[in-house]
Amino acid sequence: MNDLNEFQKAFMETLAIIQETCVQTALSKNGNQSIEEKHYDITSDIIVRIMEFFDGHDNSKIGRLNIICEKTEESLKDNPLIELHDIVCNYLKGTE
């Protein structure tokens, strides 16, 4: 993909790192979880890490991202001000 700009490349590379890290973490865990529990754990881990990425709490060079609804022009993180990675845990299974 040579047509991507530097921001786009960094964004996609960060998502790939999140995926790799979450899969390797899940593979390294030994436990007596059901397959359903394992799926919830890995998907919630990935979602939380993506939200951390958007919040700027990761090691990428990108920094904080702002998600804007094109229809309403509202920011996902404002009014009230929230940290996505904290709030999303209230909605996901596997984040206990």
Side-chain angles (χ1 to χ4, degrees), residues 25-78:
T25 299
L27 290 172
S28 69
K29 289 181 181 178
N30 293 325
N32 296 327
Q33 292 180 309
S34 70
I35 192 77
E36 181 180 18
E37 290 171 320
K38 288 179 185 181
H39 281 86
Y40 280 122
D41 281 351
I42 193 168
T43 56
S44 64
D45 191 25
I46 289 170
I47 292 167
V48 169
R49 288 178 188 254
I50 290 171
M51 296 301 110
E52 289 173 341
F53 172 40
F54 291 162
D55 287 336
H57 296 288
D58 68 329
N59 294 326
S60 74
K61 302 171 194 170
I62 294 175
R64 184 176 181 231
L65 298 173
N66 194 11
I67 301 167
I68 304 293
C69 175
E70 286 185 0
K71 183 177 180 180
T72 65
E73 297 185 4
E74 290 179 294
S75 171
L76 184 60
K77 294 180 56 72
D78 296 331

